[in-house]
PDB file of all heavy atoms in Angstrom:
ATOM      1  N   ILE H 118      14.668   9.866 -24.671  1.00  0.00           N
ATOM      2  CA  ILE H 118      15.365   8.909 -25.560  1.00  0.00           C
ATOM      3  C   ILE H 118      15.042   9.154 -26.959  1.00  0.00           C
ATOM      4  O   ILE H 118      15.906   9.161 -27.861  1.00  0.00           O
ATOM      5  CB  ILE H 118      14.950   7.509 -25.095  1.00  0.00           C
ATOM      6  CG1 ILE H 118      15.450   7.177 -23.713  1.00  0.00           C
ATOM      7  CG2 ILE H 118      15.595   6.418 -26.129  1.00  0.00           C
ATOM      8  CD1 ILE H 118      14.856   5.865 -23.115  1.00  0.00           C
ATOM      9  N   GLN H 119      13.810   9.402 -27.208  1.00  0.00           N
ATOM     10  CA  GLN H 119      13.334   9.713 -28.641  1.00  0.00           C
ATOM     11  C   GLN H 119      13.979  10.929 -29.198  1.00  0.00           C
ATOM     12  O   GLN H 119      14.309  10.981 -30.330  1.00  0.00           O
ATOM     13  CB  GLN H 119      11.777   9.845 -28.653  1.00  0.00           C
ATOM     14  CG  GLN H 119      11.190  10.015 -30.013  1.00  0.00           C
ATOM     15  CD  GLN H 119      11.046   8.665 -30.687  1.00  0.00           C
ATOM     16  OE1 GLN H 119      12.004   7.859 -30.768  1.00  0.00           O
ATOM     17  NE2 GLN H 119       9.916   8.368 -31.288  1.00  0.00           N
ATOM     18  N   ALA H 120      14.195  11.952 -28.336  1.00  0.00           N
ATOM     19  CA  ALA H 120      14.874  13.136 -28.862  1.00  0.00           C
ATOM     20  C   ALA H 120      16.286  12.982 -29.081  1.00  0.00           C
ATOM     21  O   ALA H 120      16.901  13.640 -30.052  1.00  0.00           O
ATOM     22  CB  ALA H 120      14.725  14.262 -27.763  1.00  0.00           C
ATOM     23  N   CYS H 121      16.916  12.002 -28.429  1.00  0.00           N
ATOM     24  CA  CYS H 121      18.331  11.682 -28.681  1.00  0.00           C
ATOM     25  C   CYS H 121      18.471  10.767 -29.877  1.00  0.00           C
ATOM     26  O   CYS H 121      19.392  11.085 -30.762  1.00  0.00           O
ATOM     27  CB  CYS H 121      18.950  11.010 -27.465  1.00  0.00           C
ATOM     28  SG  CYS H 121      20.635  10.525 -27.625  1.00  0.00           S
ATOM     29  N   ALA H 122      17.726   9.782 -30.063  1.00  0.00           N
ATOM     30  CA  ALA H 122      17.748   8.827 -31.208  1.00  0.00           C
ATOM     31  C   ALA H 122      16.445   8.189 -31.286  1.00  0.00           C
ATOM     32  O   ALA H 122      16.047   7.421 -30.466  1.00  0.00           O
ATOM     33  CB  ALA H 122      18.910   7.804 -30.990  1.00  0.00           C
ATOM     34  N   ARG H 123      15.797   8.410 -32.458  1.00  0.00           N
ATOM     35  CA  ARG H 123      14.417   7.971 -32.596  1.00  0.00           C
ATOM     36  C   ARG H 123      14.405   6.425 -32.644  1.00  0.00           C
ATOM     37  O   ARG H 123      15.162   5.864 -33.370  1.00  0.00           O
ATOM     38  CB  ARG H 123      13.739   8.550 -33.866  1.00  0.00           C
ATOM     39  CG  ARG H 123      13.530  10.055 -33.855  1.00  0.00           C
ATOM     40  CD  ARG H 123      12.647  10.542 -34.957  1.00  0.00           C
ATOM     41  NE  ARG H 123      11.333   9.945 -34.853  1.00  0.00           N
ATOM     42  CZ  ARG H 123      10.295  10.432 -34.122  1.00  0.00           C
ATOM     43  NH1 ARG H 123      10.458  11.445 -33.389  1.00  0.00           N
ATOM     44  NH2 ARG H 123       9.103   9.818 -34.159  1.00  0.00           N
ATOM     45  N   PHE H 124      13.398   5.853 -31.877  1.00  0.00           N
ATOM     46  CA  PHE H 124      13.288   4.404 -31.986  1.00  0.00           C
ATOM     47  C   PHE H 124      11.877   4.085 -32.577  1.00  0.00           C
ATOM     48  O   PHE H 124      10.895   4.925 -32.559  1.00  0.00           O
ATOM     49  CB  PHE H 124      13.361   3.794 -30.532  1.00  0.00           C
ATOM     50  CG  PHE H 124      12.452   4.341 -29.549  1.00  0.00           C
ATOM     51  CD1 PHE H 124      11.194   3.820 -29.271  1.00  0.00           C
ATOM     52  CD2 PHE H 124      12.841   5.448 -28.706  1.00  0.00           C
ATOM     53  CE1 PHE H 124      10.411   4.271 -28.331  1.00  0.00           C
ATOM     54  CE2 PHE H 124      11.936   5.928 -27.787  1.00  0.00           C
ATOM     55  CZ  PHE H 124      10.761   5.373 -27.529  1.00  0.00           C
ATOM     56  N   SER H 125      11.838   2.874 -33.156  1.00  0.00           N
ATOM     57  CA  SER H 125      10.615   2.526 -33.961  1.00  0.00           C
ATOM     58  C   SER H 125       9.541   1.798 -33.145  1.00  0.00           C
ATOM     59  O   SER H 125       8.370   1.803 -33.553  1.00  0.00           O
ATOM     60  CB  SER H 125      11.022   1.622 -35.139  1.00  0.00           C
ATOM     61  OG  SER H 125      11.744   0.472 -34.670  1.00  0.00           O
ATOM     62  N   ALA H 126       9.915   1.185 -32.066  1.00  0.00           N
ATOM     63  CA  ALA H 126       8.946   0.368 -31.328  1.00  0.00           C
ATOM     64  C   ALA H 126       9.385   0.253 -29.864  1.00  0.00           C
ATOM     65  O   ALA H 126      10.521   0.374 -29.479  1.00  0.00           O
ATOM     66  CB  ALA H 126       8.803  -1.024 -31.934  1.00  0.00           C
ATOM     67  N   LEU H 127       8.344   0.064 -29.072  1.00  0.00           N
ATOM     68  CA  LEU H 127       8.565  -0.152 -27.559  1.00  0.00           C
ATOM     69  C   LEU H 127       8.044  -1.529 -27.281  1.00  0.00           C
ATOM     70  O   LEU H 127       6.900  -1.910 -27.675  1.00  0.00           O
ATOM     71  CB  LEU H 127       7.848   0.918 -26.814  1.00  0.00           C
ATOM     72  CG  LEU H 127       7.824   0.796 -25.303  1.00  0.00           C
ATOM     73  CD1 LEU H 127       9.198   1.055 -24.730  1.00  0.00           C
ATOM     74  CD2 LEU H 127       6.847   1.819 -24.687  1.00  0.00           C
ATOM     75  N   PHE H 128       8.878  -2.325 -26.519  1.00  0.00           N
ATOM     76  CA  PHE H 128       8.464  -3.631 -26.195  1.00  0.00           C
ATOM     77  C   PHE H 128       8.498  -3.765 -24.644  1.00  0.00           C
ATOM     78  O   PHE H 128       9.404  -3.276 -24.017  1.00  0.00           O
ATOM     79  CB  PHE H 128       9.415  -4.712 -26.731  1.00  0.00           C
ATOM     80  CG  PHE H 128       9.262  -4.876 -28.221  1.00  0.00           C
ATOM     81  CD1 PHE H 128       9.877  -3.951 -29.128  1.00  0.00           C
ATOM     82  CD2 PHE H 128       8.631  -6.010 -28.726  1.00  0.00           C
ATOM     83  CE1 PHE H 128       9.764  -4.204 -30.473  1.00  0.00           C
ATOM     84  CE2 PHE H 128       8.560  -6.221 -30.087  1.00  0.00           C
ATOM     85  CZ  PHE H 128       9.136  -5.314 -30.960  1.00  0.00           C
ATOM     86  N   SER H 129       7.465  -4.376 -24.117  1.00  0.00           N
ATOM     87  CA  SER H 129       7.446  -4.651 -22.675  1.00  0.00           C
ATOM     88  C   SER H 129       6.427  -5.710 -22.370  1.00  0.00           C
ATOM     89  O   SER H 129       5.694  -6.148 -23.199  1.00  0.00           O
ATOM     90  CB  SER H 129       7.033  -3.338 -21.845  1.00  0.00           C
ATOM     91  OG  SER H 129       5.684  -3.084 -22.098  1.00  0.00           O
ATOM     92  N   HIS H 130       6.464  -6.215 -21.091  1.00  0.00           N
ATOM     93  CA  HIS H 130       5.482  -7.073 -20.640  1.00  0.00           C
ATOM     94  C   HIS H 130       4.279  -6.268 -20.027  1.00  0.00           C
ATOM     95  O   HIS H 130       4.412  -5.165 -19.619  1.00  0.00           O
ATOM     96  CB  HIS H 130       5.971  -7.978 -19.407  1.00  0.00           C
ATOM     97  CG  HIS H 130       6.681  -9.200 -19.946  1.00  0.00           C
ATOM     98  ND1 HIS H 130       8.031  -9.341 -19.598  1.00  0.00           N
ATOM     99  CD2 HIS H 130       6.314 -10.214 -20.674  1.00  0.00           C
ATOM    100  CE1 HIS H 130       8.368 -10.490 -20.118  1.00  0.00           C
ATOM    101  NE2 HIS H 130       7.398 -11.081 -20.824  1.00  0.00           N
ATOM    102  N   GLU H 131       3.086  -6.877 -20.117  1.00  0.00           N
ATOM    103  CA  GLU H 131       1.922  -6.274 -19.499  1.00  0.00           C
ATOM    104  C   GLU H 131       2.144  -6.216 -17.969  1.00  0.00           C
ATOM    105  O   GLU H 131       2.750  -7.148 -17.479  1.00  0.00           O
ATOM    106  CB  GLU H 131       0.660  -7.034 -19.872  1.00  0.00           C
ATOM    107  CG  GLU H 131       0.279  -6.967 -21.248  1.00  0.00           C
ATOM    108  CD  GLU H 131      -0.913  -7.854 -21.624  1.00  0.00           C
ATOM    109  OE1 GLU H 131      -1.239  -8.685 -20.762  1.00  0.00           O
ATOM    110  OE2 GLU H 131      -1.453  -7.769 -22.723  1.00  0.00           O
ATOM    111  N   GLU H 132       1.559  -5.264 -17.304  1.00  0.00           N
ATOM    112  CA  GLU H 132       1.723  -5.204 -15.859  1.00  0.00           C
ATOM    113  C   GLU H 132       0.311  -4.990 -15.288  1.00  0.00           C
ATOM    114  O   GLU H 132      -0.398  -4.062 -15.632  1.00  0.00           O
ATOM    115  CB  GLU H 132       2.696  -4.076 -15.480  1.00  0.00           C
ATOM    116  CG  GLU H 132       2.916  -3.920 -13.972  1.00  0.00           C
ATOM    117  CD  GLU H 132       3.816  -2.766 -13.643  1.00  0.00           C
ATOM    118  OE1 GLU H 132       4.302  -2.082 -14.614  1.00  0.00           O
ATOM    119  OE2 GLU H 132       4.159  -2.638 -12.476  1.00  0.00           O
ATOM    120  N   THR H 133       0.050  -5.776 -14.223  1.00  0.00           N
ATOM    121  CA  THR H 133      -1.167  -5.531 -13.533  1.00  0.00           C
ATOM    122  C   THR H 133      -0.777  -4.982 -12.096  1.00  0.00           C
ATOM    123  O   THR H 133      -0.568  -5.804 -11.110  1.00  0.00           O
ATOM    124  CB  THR H 133      -1.985  -6.834 -13.299  1.00  0.00           C
ATOM    125  OG1 THR H 133      -2.243  -7.360 -14.589  1.00  0.00           O
ATOM    126  CG2 THR H 133      -3.329  -6.649 -12.692  1.00  0.00           C
ATOM    127  N   GLY H 134      -0.516  -3.768 -12.073  1.00  0.00           N
ATOM    128  CA  GLY H 134      -0.029  -3.157 -10.844  1.00  0.00           C
ATOM    129  C   GLY H 134      -1.076  -2.301 -10.136  1.00  0.00           C
ATOM    130  O   GLY H 134      -2.240  -2.587 -10.178  1.00  0.00           O
ATOM    131  N   ASN H 135      -0.536  -1.289  -9.367  1.00  0.00           N
ATOM    132  CA  ASN H 135      -1.430  -0.424  -8.651  1.00  0.00           C
ATOM    133  C   ASN H 135      -2.033   0.669  -9.562  1.00  0.00           C
ATOM    134  O   ASN H 135      -1.723   0.721 -10.751  1.00  0.00           O
ATOM    135  CB  ASN H 135      -0.777   0.200  -7.418  1.00  0.00           C
ATOM    136  CG  ASN H 135       0.427   1.071  -7.788  1.00  0.00           C
ATOM    137  OD1 ASN H 135       0.629   1.314  -8.963  1.00  0.00           O
ATOM    138  ND2 ASN H 135       1.292   1.346  -6.788  1.00  0.00           N
TER     139      ASN H 135
END
Side-chain angles (χ1 to χ4, degrees):
I118 297 173
Q119 186 79 311
C121 178
R123 293 191 64 83
F124 56 92
S125 58
L127 176 66
F128 288 78
S129 72
H130 277 119
E131 295 174 347
E132 181 178 5
T133 306
N135 60 14

